Amino acid sequence: MNEIIKSLYDRKSVRVYEDRPIPEKMKQIILEAAAQAPSAGCQQLYTILDITDQKLKDELVKTCDNQPFIATAPMVLVFCADCKKWYDAYLEAGCSPRKPGVGDLMLAVTDTAIAAQNAVVAAQSFGIGSCYIGDIMENCEEQRRILNLPEYVFPAVMLVFGWPTKQQLERTKPQRCDQKHIVHENTYRSMDGNELREMFGYQCKNRSFEDWMNAFCNRKYGSDFAKEMTRSVGEYLKQFENE
């Protein structure tokens, strides 16, 4: 197994960090690696916010479901899907562009997520751990305020980075679903009840499928934070819903 493939297998979310900074040179390499990601039409439909202000990190703890490790992470990046900069450039050039729509946003989110994952892979190559924070999509009013987000800019991905503690390095990576359930040949295949039970069986351990699935549904899918994320994303979408 080559080093890149091994790093992809080894990488897991890290939420506890050693108290030491990430050298500026490494940070710049990680940011440049993000910018080298594939991009639709080479437009780079994202803007990366490098969060260096400790007060802002502390606010992000609160707006991202009170996760204290955000405040202590040596590097925090917010990757914004940015449909504004090209629209502004078109206007600057005297074009008559239509307003950005949901298709433009989806393309920008794709660009943004690919760039973020490049940063994760680059960081892993240095031994730097990372964790995705999906909660950046919640509390849109507060995120807009503290990050100064204008129209047509959506905070799609947040990442925190740091040197993993020994316990984090030794922690077992969560198991993934068997590939036969994840990879469908040529066309989508809806799975029946038996296959769904087989796919998630490793999660249930000593519990029944019904017990585990109900608990997970209540804890994640039906949670207050999931409902808030749906509400917030809906608010962001309103600016892209043009006739």
Side-chain angles (χ1 to χ4, degrees):
M1 185 181 293
N2 67 44
E3 286 302 310
I4 294 175
I5 299 299
K6 184 177 184 305
S7 74
L8 293 174
Y9 276 67
D10 289 346
R11 189 266 165 192
K12 54 182 177 274
S13 295
V14 173
R15 296 177 176 84
V16 185
Y17 311 110
E18 293 183 352
D19 185 19
R20 59 179 172 125
I22 293 172
E24 187 62 26
K25 186 175 181 180
M26 284 186 181
K27 179 178 180 178
Q28 290 306 314
I29 291 172
I30 292 168
L31 289 168
E32 183 55 39
Q36 292 299 321
S39 173
C42 204
Q43 296 174 85
Q44 294 182 275
L45 296 166
Y46 52 83
T47 293
I48 304 170
L49 307 182
D50 178 15
I51 309 300
T52 59
D53 186 328
Q54 187 59 51
K55 289 182 179 179
L56 186 49
K57 286 185 182 181
D58 294 340
E59 284 201 73
L60 285 167
V61 169
K62 299 173 185 175
T63 59
C64 294
D65 275 343
N66 297 305
Q67 300 182 77
F69 68 94
I70 295 170
T72 58
M75 184 164 75
V76 176
L77 303 177
V78 178
F79 289 74
C80 297
D82 188 350
C83 296
K84 173 180 167 58
K85 60 184 177 182
W86 278 89
Y87 182 67
D88 287 350
Y90 293 141
L91 293 174
E92 176 66 22
C95 305
S96 300
R98 58 176 174 77
K99 291 184 178 180
V102 290
D104 304 297
L105 174 62
M106 291 299 291
L107 199 63
V109 169
T110 301
D111 264 18
T112 306
I114 297 169
Q117 184 62 11
N118 257 31
V120 165
V121 174
Q124 184 73 16
S125 75
F126 290 129
I128 297 170
S130 58
C131 184
Y132 279 93
I133 309 292
D135 307 281
I136 194 64
M137 292 187 284
E138 295 178 40
N139 300 309
C140 64
E141 294 82 6
E142 286 301 293
Q143 311 295 22
R144 280 171 166 167
R145 178 185 64 82
I146 65 175
L147 299 175
N148 193 32
L149 300 177
E151 277 197 326
Y152 309 129
V153 177
F154 171 61
V157 175
M158 179 174 166
L159 279 166
V160 296
F161 299 84
W163 300 101
T165 61
K166 184 174 183 292
Q167 181 274 335
Q168 289 285 291
L169 286 172
E170 295 175 350
R171 180 174 55 85
T172 301
K173 180 174 180 174
Q175 185 178 340
R176 268 38 178 182
C177 292
D178 193 292
Q179 192 179 81
K180 67 182 180 181
H181 305 302
I182 301 299
V183 181
H184 300 186
E185 187 171 358
N186 294 321
T187 58
Y188 186 87
R189 171 177 54 78
S190 293
M191 290 177 274
D192 63 20
N194 288 333
E195 186 172 359
L196 291 170
R197 289 169 182 271
E198 180 185 357
M199 178 170 63
F200 294 115
Y202 74 93
Q203 295 272 24
C204 302
K205 296 182 174 62
N206 297 321
R207 305 173 69 179
S208 70
F209 173 82
E210 288 78 8
D211 283 349
W212 184 86
M213 193 59 70
N214 272 277
F216 193 86
C217 181
N218 292 333
R219 180 167 62 89
K220 287 283 190 180
Y221 191 73
S223 66
D224 289 341
F225 69 78
K227 293 172 184 175
E228 167 55 26
M229 185 177 292
T230 296
R231 183 201 70 82
S232 285
V233 172
E235 286 298 313
Y236 284 115
L237 282 174
K238 287 178 181 178
Q239 60 197 306
F240 293 94
E241 293 173 348
N242 304 309
E243 293 298 329

